Amino acid sequence: MGQIDLFPLKLSFEVAGCATLLGIVVGFPLVWILSQLKSPWKNTLESCFMLPMVLPPTVLGYYLLVALGRQSVIGQFFESIGLPLVFTIRGAIIAATVVSIPFFIKTGLTAIESVPQNVIEAGRVLGHSEFNVLLKIIIPLAWRGLVSGIILMFARGLGDFGTTLMVAGSIPHETTTMPIAIYNTMLAGEPGKTNLLVIIMTLAAFFILFVLNGLSHRFIRQHDLTN
Amino acid sequence: MRLVMDIQKELPLFRLNVSISTEQKILGILGASGAGKTMTLRCLAGLEAPTKGHIHLNHQVLFDAERKINLPSRKRRVGYLSQSYALFPHLTIAQNIAFGLHNMPFSEKKERVQTYLNQIQLTGFENRYPSGLSGGQQQRVALARALAPQPNILLLDEPFAALDDHLRSQMEKYLLEMLSTFEGITLFVTHNVEEGYRICDELFIFSKGAITASGPKETLFTKPPTYTAAQLTGCKNFSQVKRVDAHHVKAMDWGCELEVESSELSSPDFIGIRAHHLDFPNEITNDNTFPCWISQLREGPHRLSIYLKLFEPPQSASDYHLQAEVFKETWPTLKEKPFPWYVHLSPQQLFLMKADSLHA
């Protein structure tokens, strides 16, 4: 058992965690903008943001490679500041963010749009700025949906395989996440190792989701007094 | 306080065209559903922007289309109370009332919240959440929340519509108490004519997006100038008329000539009389007294509605000219009278009206 390398597991959680944080930072403003837009703009943008859910990971990975690779403006810029993106953990984080962010946007948007308009208007009439209304009314009332979106985003980021492989490759002890490590051991004809990694991944994923769900339920119970 | 409002707004079904200029404290807005009452309040609150026009409150410009001024809601100092209480479900009662007091020092804020909790008799409820309160209590909190920041203008959009009769009269009491110390202007939208009359000083009658009549409530009830104004203030009896001379008109729908008091209207379109103003003499002693038969009776808790057919017995229950209302106590003596009865339409109680023009 000494041969089992748990670095991929650690890396997977790091990547999923960072992708979740990045997803919240980028995703929340997008959710807000979408909630303020009216069709057809809203429909167009929402469809664009949902694309990663339906595109094959290879297609998505290819787009990201083109956008972030050494030939691209973005890639060159990050390379020049010493932080290359492709075939690094940063690339893996970006890939995981892109595949998982639609889950946050979709659930977050539904949550924000379900906050009653008359309650939002009451906040405005009582002298609060749009930012205050967002902070003090909309986010607290949409909290349940936002938290679900964050958990879904984390779960999706944890399990990503194809897109991460396309963008970050499989460099041992650098970019080999758990799903990729499992694929590698299977290709190498090591069924014992594969089985073990699959079980570890399943248990770890279950454990972390169990904890996250428990925390969010407790949090929601404490803060949700709407019923 | 002075409110000057002259706005137009294109809406899918009609064009809102409202002009109000007043210094009265409590203004009532009466009108059928979809007449533009709520939209008018929303324009005042800054929740909707009119297409044209201006709104001034005490020399402060809230909206001016030409000067491209549209003050956001948060800067208008408006209190808004709608039929759906719109309380913040995640905040306690005290936090709800304090929500509009965010620029106030803590101690002052606490004191203000306490004052309003006392006024709405919900002391001790400050740490509860709205979901733990009854409908009437929630509406009291919403009223306190709207008034606590001491707005310049209070907009009440059918605030009692979702409450039952008993709670309605209780809320009316709270409202009148709180308004007695409120210095701003109140706009009160209601469907309930009697409530409007009790609460307001001046009334505006809305029809299809425009004000068809306005004035002190007493005048509007005794001499409503238009058909809609009469209808919305509860008048049940109408007939088209043609003027015969200065003191006589021919009521076409009722098939009779009536003596009327002198009126400024040289060519009125309608004549009307309220159901409780009809009286029943024993014989023809005056002008405006006609033989009549009962077509239908309807019993209310305190009053009786009697549907009358003039000059001949009715063919069916829906064949009638006039609707009279009498207290139940008078019915036992009334019903002993032989037919035909005689109904008297007193010239002092009859009023002449125009059909609805768009501007009063």
Side-chain angles (χ1 to χ4, degrees):
Chain A
M1 283 295 128
Q3 291 164 316
I4 288 292
D5 178 11
L6 288 181
F7 177 82
L9 185 66
K10 181 174 150 275
L11 184 67
S12 277
F13 279 106
E14 277 172 12
V15 168
C18 292
T20 305
L21 291 181
L22 188 61
I24 296 171
V25 173
V26 177
F28 192 77
L30 292 179
V31 169
W32 177 243
I33 290 167
L34 278 177
S35 73
Q36 301 300 303
L37 286 178
K38 290 199 169 82
S39 287
W41 279 114
K42 182 179 175 174
N43 201 358
T44 313
L45 274 183
E46 201 182 335
S47 304
C48 285
F49 295 146
M50 290 303 120
L51 267 181
M53 269 173 131
V54 287
L55 282 180
T58 43
V59 174
L60 203 57
Y62 182 74
Y63 278 134
L64 284 175
L65 261 187
V66 171
L68 308 174
R70 293 198 169 122
Q71 311 300 321
S72 74
V73 181
I74 303 171
Q76 280 170 5
F77 168 75
F78 278 94
E79 188 112 15
S80 71
I81 58 168
L83 297 168
L85 297 177
V86 290
F87 303 115
T88 65
I89 185 176
R90 290 178 288 281
I93 292 168
I94 292 173
T97 309
V98 172
V99 291
S100 60
I101 209 166
F103 291 84
F104 180 59
I105 291 179
K106 191 74 192 168
T107 35
L109 188 61
T110 312
I112 282 192
E113 284 178 339
S114 65
V115 177
Q117 197 56 31
N118 59 358
V119 173
I120 297 175
E121 285 175 352
R124 289 187 186 134
V125 172
L126 285 164
H128 286 264
S129 64
E130 288 303 308
F131 182 70
N132 254 347
V133 168
L134 176 68
L135 215 63
K136 292 182 172 174
I137 300 171
I138 297 172
I139 292 181
L141 289 178
W143 188 252
R144 189 193 283 263
L146 292 172
V147 170
S148 306
I150 291 168
I151 292 179
L152 279 176
M153 183 159 63
F154 178 82
R156 179 65 186 86
L158 193 64
D160 187 56
F161 171 72
T163 313
T164 310
L165 187 65
M166 292 282 285
V167 179
S170 170
I171 306 169
H173 283 256
E174 268 188 57
T175 62
T176 306
T177 57
M178 201 63 170
I180 298 171
I182 291 169
Y183 181 71
N184 288 344
T185 56
M186 201 185 77
L187 275 194
E190 297 175 282
K193 225 176 184 180
T194 310
N195 283 342
L196 198 61
L197 285 180
V198 164
I199 290 169
I200 293 173
M201 179 74 202
T202 310
L203 288 177
F206 175 79
F207 177 74
I208 195 82
L209 286 177
F210 183 80
V211 171
L212 279 179
N213 279 327
L215 283 179
S216 78
H217 287 156
R218 185 193 286 183
F219 190 88
I220 284 165
R221 262 203 308 277
Q222 278 171 358
H223 290 80
D224 183 28
L225 293 140
T226 49
N227 298 315
Chain B
M1 282 277 171
R2 182 172 176 76
L3 171 69
V4 180
M5 174 177 193
D6 187 357
I7 55 163
Q8 288 94 50
K9 184 171 172 68
E10 301 298 334
L11 296 171
L13 293 178
F14 56 85
R15 184 158 183 254
L16 186 73
N17 186 350
V18 174
S19 167
I20 292 175
S21 171
T22 182
E23 288 182 12
Q24 289 288 348
K25 271 193 71 183
I26 309 179
L27 315 177
I29 295 182
L30 290 175
S33 301
K37 306 175 306 254
T38 296
M39 186 53 79
T40 304
L41 293 199
R42 290 179 63 82
C43 286
L44 259 166
L47 298 170
E48 299 278 347
T51 327
K52 283 187 205 160
H54 59 265
I55 305 171
H56 296 191
L57 183 63
N58 270 357
H59 309 300
Q60 189 191 14
V61 182
L62 301 186
F63 177 84
D64 193 322
E66 275 180 21
R67 287 155 66 190
K68 297 205 167 16
I69 298 174
N70 185 11
L71 217 58
S73 290
R74 66 174 188 278
K75 293 188 177 164
R76 292 196 179 195
R77 302 208 50 194
V78 163
Y80 187 86
L81 183 59
S82 66
Q83 181 180 336
S84 63
Y85 322 118
L87 292 176
F88 306 121
H90 59 301
L91 300 180
T92 62
I93 302 311
Q95 288 168 333
N96 262 283
I97 298 176
F99 200 80
L101 311 173
H102 48 294
N103 296 324
M104 203 177 259
F106 181 76
S107 57
E108 203 179 322
K109 193 195 283 191
K110 209 175 157 192
E111 203 175 309
R112 178 84 61 92
V113 169
Q114 210 52 50
T115 312
Y116 279 93
L117 277 169
N118 283 342
Q119 279 204 27
I120 57 170
Q121 295 188 350
L122 286 177
T123 321
F125 284 66
E126 45 270 64
N127 295 323
R128 290 212 201 172
Y129 286 87
S131 55
L133 264 58
S134 70
Q137 290 170 330
Q138 290 191 29
Q139 190 60 301
R140 266 140 71 188
V141 175
L143 179 62
R145 183 181 69 177
L147 279 170
Q150 300 183 332
N152 289 329
I153 184 161
L154 179 66
L155 309 173
L156 305 170
D157 190 2
E158 302 202 37
F160 311 146
L163 303 174
D164 61 42
D165 274 355
H166 170 66
L167 283 175
R168 264 183 113 104
S169 62
Q170 214 180 45
M171 270 308 290
E172 194 179 308
K173 192 184 81 155
Y174 282 111
L175 179 67
L176 285 171
E177 261 172 40
M178 290 173 92
L179 289 185
S180 65
T181 53
F182 175 61
E183 302 199 332
I185 290 179
T186 302
L187 257 78
F188 184 84
V189 167
T190 180
H191 263 117
N192 188 319
V193 178
E194 295 190 9
E195 195 173 80
Y197 191 91
R198 284 195 299 268
I199 295 175
C200 307
D201 307 319
E202 189 173 350
L203 291 173
F204 292 83
I205 308 283
F206 271 56
S207 175
K208 295 189 188 107
I211 297 173
T212 64
S214 65
K217 59 184 175 185
E218 296 82 3
T219 319
L220 269 190
F221 271 75
T222 46
K223 301 275 175 212
T226 63
Y227 183 88
T228 312
Q231 207 178 31
L232 285 168
T233 52
C235 182
K236 300 283 195 300
N237 299 307
F238 296 95
S239 168
Q240 296 189 64
V241 284
K242 273 202 179 133
R243 199 176 261 294
V244 177
D245 59 43
H247 289 281
H248 291 87
V249 292
K250 188 166 171 43
M252 269 93 82
D253 300 318
W254 299 338
C256 56
E257 194 171 300
L258 293 162
E259 184 190 334
V260 290
E261 288 193 316
S262 51
S263 156
E264 290 161 13
L265 290 178
S266 55
S267 55
D269 299 311
F270 289 95
I271 191 162
I273 187 162
R274 294 185 189 277
H276 62 276
H277 282 150
L278 296 176
D279 66 278
F280 300 98
N282 288 328
E283 54 200 54
I284 300 183
T285 49
N286 312 307
D287 279 351
N288 292 4
T289 305
F290 309 101
C292 64
W293 281 259
I294 296 180
S295 329
Q296 206 188 132
L297 272 177
R298 275 202 202 146
E299 202 178 330
H302 309 296
R303 293 176 186 217
L304 214 57
S305 291
I306 308 173
Y307 296 79
L308 302 163
K309 168 92 176 179
L310 299 177
F311 306 114
E312 59 185 11
Q315 308 290 321
S316 68
S318 56
D319 180 22
Y320 65 88
H321 289 115
L322 295 168
Q323 182 181 340
E325 247 175 42
V326 296
F327 281 108
K328 276 184 166 174
E329 293 74 32
T330 58
W331 178 242
T333 40
L334 211 53
K335 76 173 177 188
E336 298 304 324
K337 290 187 185 197
F339 288 106
W341 288 6
Y342 295 99
V343 60
H344 175 228
L345 287 68
S346 157
Q348 287 80 40
Q349 307 293 3
L350 281 165
F351 47 83
L352 296 165
M353 295 158 278
K354 292 297 284 180
D356 283 280
S357 61
L358 281 179
H359 297 282

